[in-house]
Amino acid sequence: MSLSEKYNKITPEILEELKSIVGPDNMATDESAIEAYSCDESGKVYARMPDVVVKPENTQQVSNVMRLANREMIPVTARGAGSGIAGGAIPIKGGILLSLERMNRVLEIDRINRVAVVEPGVVTNDLCQMVLKEGLMYAGYPMSTETSFIGGNIATNAGGAKVIRYGSTRRHVLGIEVVLPTGDVLELGGRIRKQTWGYDLLQIIIGSEGTLGVVTKAILNLEPAPGDTVTFLAPFPSIEEAVEAVAAILRAGVVLMACEFMDQLSTKCATQYHNTTFPMQDEAKAFLIIQVEGQTPEQLDMYIEKVGETCLEHGAMEVFTAESSTESRNIWKVRESFAEAVRAVDPNASLSGDMVVPMPKISEMVKAVGETARKYDITIALGGHIADGNIHPLFFKPDRIPLEEWPDFVENIVDELIGVAISLGGVGSGEHGVGFLKKHTFMKYEAKSKLEVMRGIKRAFDPNGILNPGKLFD
Ligand SMILES: Cc1cc2nc3c(=O)[nH]c(=O)nc-3n(C[C@H](O)[C@H](O)[C@H](O)COP(=O)(O)OP(=O)(O)OC[C@H]3O[C@@H](n4cnc5c(N)ncnc54)[C@H](O)[C@@H]3O)c2cc1C
């Protein structure tokens, strides 16, 4: 039986029941109101309409929606801000789109335990700014921080610029409340920082891309707010030299807060987007954007000297230091928006490249991207989180490829590049996830035995397969 055949259609009676669960104001079926929920940032070309959008306001409502969907065999797709790039939040089997946007409260900032308790619809940057006022830091920092939700970050195990120092979202989540597809509510983890207490279900939910349960609350670790930081901008004549410089900075014992790179094309798109320029952007083939933090003024001075020296020793054409927090913010804005900037140049550009390889293999991976661009005669802009081996090739759609052929064309290229990443000891996604865009590639390269274990886990959480069907391996 095909997936779509096993699901039932939403009847007027089911719609009435849904309305009584979430209230008439929190449900929509009009095409104009639900269209915005048909795709994420992977692009409109992948859009699929849900039958109904519901916006529950509390855990009980989420649980009641899931119970109803499970009883009636209706597919449900959870959605955060829809900033995902793997198609994870696209309701590809129709049914119920469950948006967490109304569950957006920061419930508590517990200074003694250094945790924040939040609902899933809190925007990542709002939490960061709120806890900063208390002298604390939430260390999750995807480049989409101003739009993405905490629930989406947990479901994708989001990474970003600060992973080199603080790890990805997984490291910041101490506990969650999760509603299973059956409607049962589980509390996993808590305000504690260690446990050996049975299988760690919390870690299975994190990064499961909304296929095992709906996260309705999270207890997040907070770090002390950082001391003084300095941002550097270093142009290099080649990406290879930039990669060497990063490895040398890490060997020199500098504790990096963040370390990002952009090639010439992505730099030009992003500076143009902000109506600014980076120094030497016509000559430099790559830029490093580095941030260091010093616990003391002496330590900061030492790091400033080491970063500057090491970059110059490894071929940097110059090393610029941001003179103020505004200058630093302006540099980071350029990096944060390089994907948006590429989309501004080409609305059909694909953002789906997210390979991660061991750090010493980055140059080989970058070389493979260049060869691929030549082989397929396409333009690829490149950037990423260089210190953790995570690169984002962004693909411009050539005019000669018709729009309807573009998804297959570009997914084939991404598949090939993922093959290279795997042969170099890496994986196909460092942070965006598998979603449905990389599903075939995931199934092609993953060991059958591993997929079987994953399917067993899926069955245990979601016996009827109603939650986010058509994603990962389904
Ligand atoms: C310009 C740009 C830059 C980006 N930079 C980064 C980056 O640096 N690092 C990074 O990791 N990602 C990045 N992303 C990708 C994206 O922002 C992240 O994947 C983010 O974590 C998605 O959050 P969201 O709230 O938008 O989730 P959505 O896109 O709405 O959903 C993503 C997945 O999570 C599931 N989901 C959402 N909420 C819940 C919930 N409460 N419970 C269960 N499942 C849920 C969905 O079903 C879906 O599978 C970027 C995207 C853009 C457009």
Side-chain angles (χ1 to χ4, degrees):
M1 187 172 19
S2 82
L3 260 183
S4 341
E5 283 165 6
K6 89 177 199 184
Y7 299 114
N8 291 323
K9 293 255 174 287
I10 297 192
T11 60
E13 291 74 30
I14 292 176
L15 282 180
E16 273 310 306
E17 204 173 332
L18 278 173
K19 198 187 286 176
S20 71
I21 293 171
V22 294
D25 294 341
N26 289 340
M27 186 179 112
T29 49
D30 284 1
E31 198 174 317
S32 58
I34 66 176
E35 201 189 350
Y37 298 86
S38 64
C39 68
D40 60 8
E41 288 296 328
S42 57
K44 284 208 170 97
V45 72
Y46 299 103
R48 308 281 168 85
M49 290 293 268
D51 294 301
V52 55
V53 174
V54 294
K55 302 174 187 176
E57 289 179 341
N58 55 50
T59 304
Q60 189 59 54
Q61 289 182 359
V62 175
S63 166
N64 290 346
V65 170
M66 294 312 302
R67 256 183 231 292
L68 165 63
N70 198 41
R71 187 189 77 209
E72 300 291 341
M73 287 299 291
I74 309 285
V76 180
T77 306
R79 181 183 176 99
S83 72
I85 309 179
I90 299 178
I92 61 170
K93 301 290 168 194
I96 300 170
L97 188 296
L98 192 149
S99 168
L100 279 310
E101 69 198 85
R102 299 251 156 107
M103 294 178 68
N104 60 359
R105 291 174 305 159
V106 173
L107 300 171
E108 189 186 346
I109 295 174
D110 171 353
R111 292 174 59 86
I112 296 178
N113 283 304
R114 259 202 294 116
V115 302
V117 184
V118 304
E119 290 183 330
V122 171
V123 173
T124 315
N125 193 50
D126 291 353
L127 176 66
C128 295
Q129 296 309 317
M130 188 181 277
V131 300
L132 210 52
K133 288 187 196 134
E134 308 275 333
L136 295 165
M137 175 175 70
Y138 175 64
Y141 179 30
M143 298 287 101
S144 52
T145 182
E146 289 183 10
T147 48
S148 68
F149 292 176
I150 293 292
N153 293 170
I154 294 173
T156 55
N157 185 27
K162 290 185 186 148
V163 169
I164 180 68
R165 170 80 178 270
Y166 296 103
S168 52
T169 299
R170 191 178 290 293
R171 283 256 296 272
H172 320 313
V173 183
L174 301 178
I176 55 171
E177 174 186 83
V178 61
V179 178
L180 300 188
T182 52
D184 293 343
V185 182
L186 300 187
E187 305 272 352
L188 305 172
R191 296 177 200 221
I192 47 175
R193 287 182 166 76
K194 62 195 293 197
Q195 63 163 318
T196 309
W197 201 235
Y199 295 150
D200 197 338
L201 301 181
L202 169 65
Q203 294 302 330
I204 290 181
I205 298 284
I206 299 169
S208 64
E209 301 187 49
T211 61
L212 301 179
V214 180
V215 176
T216 46
K217 200 190 288 178
I219 301 171
L220 303 171
N221 175 56
L222 302 175
E223 299 285 339
D228 288 338
T229 60
V230 169
T231 297
F232 303 89
L233 181 68
F236 282 81
S238 72
I239 297 180
E240 288 75 9
E241 283 158 293
V243 173
E244 279 304 311
V246 175
I249 291 167
L250 291 170
R251 277 198 304 274
V254 176
V255 179
L256 296 173
M257 274 289 271
C259 182
E260 300 287 301
F261 96 106
M262 295 166 75
D263 73 355
Q264 189 181 49
L265 179 58
S266 54
T267 304
K268 285 191 171 177
C269 291
T271 52
Q272 186 183 320
Y273 187 67
H274 286 288
N275 205 14
T276 180
T277 50
F278 271 1
M280 306 179 126
Q281 70 174 31
D282 286 332
E283 303 94 61
K285 292 284 182 293
F287 279 89
L288 286 183
I289 301 172
I290 298 171
Q291 191 173 53
V292 293
E293 178 217 352
Q295 300 285 329
T296 60
E298 294 73 32
Q299 192 185 43
L300 190 60
D301 285 345
M302 195 256 281
Y303 286 166
I304 292 173
E305 205 178 307
K306 279 214 161 135
V307 169
E309 257 173 38
T310 315
C311 283
L312 291 170
E313 274 165 23
H314 287 81
M317 297 149 81
E318 191 54 83
V319 180
F320 301 96
T321 309
E323 298 292 339
S324 64
S325 56
T326 312
E327 227 175 273
S328 162
R329 190 67 212 121
N330 288 342
I331 294 173
W332 280 104
K333 261 189 181 161
V334 169
R335 167 61 190 96
E336 280 165 17
S337 59
F338 102 87
E340 278 162 66
V342 164
R343 274 272 169 83
V345 175
D346 174 4
N348 296 310
S350 165
L351 313 182
S352 80
D354 180 35
M355 303 85 200
V356 60
V357 294
M359 174 66 190
K361 300 288 183 187
I362 289 192
S363 288
E364 274 176 76
M365 192 65 227
V366 167
K367 204 165 139 225
V369 172
E371 282 161 9
T372 302
R374 283 186 289 282
K375 176 175 161 191
Y376 290 97
D377 189 20
I378 55 164
T379 304
I380 303 179
L382 201 55
H385 316 294
I386 195 163
D388 30 79
N390 190 191
I391 63 160
H392 297 312
L394 310 185
F395 308 87
F396 289 82
K397 186 184 99 51
D399 289 342
R400 68 173 193 284
I401 310 282
L403 191 55
E404 59 280 11
E405 289 173 23
W406 176 231
D408 284 351
F409 183 89
V410 75
E411 280 159 34
N412 182 42
I413 294 176
V414 172
D415 179 283
E416 236 176 82
L417 286 172
I418 289 176
V420 176
I422 290 171
S423 72
L424 294 173
V427 295
S429 173
E431 51 186 28
H432 299 163
V434 175
F436 93 90
L437 259 71
K438 298 193 184 80
K439 179 172 107 166
H440 298 293
T441 307
F442 182 62
M443 289 169 73
K444 175 169 135 189
Y445 290 112
E446 276 306 317
K448 297 274 168 293
S449 50
K450 212 156 128 188
L451 288 173
E452 256 330 287
V453 175
M454 289 192 200
R455 286 199 178 96
I457 292 171
K458 170 75 176 166
R459 278 194 296 275
F461 279 87
D462 184 12
N464 289 332
I466 58 151
L467 191 58
N468 215 353
K471 311 292 166 66
L472 298 185
F473 41 73
D474 185 3

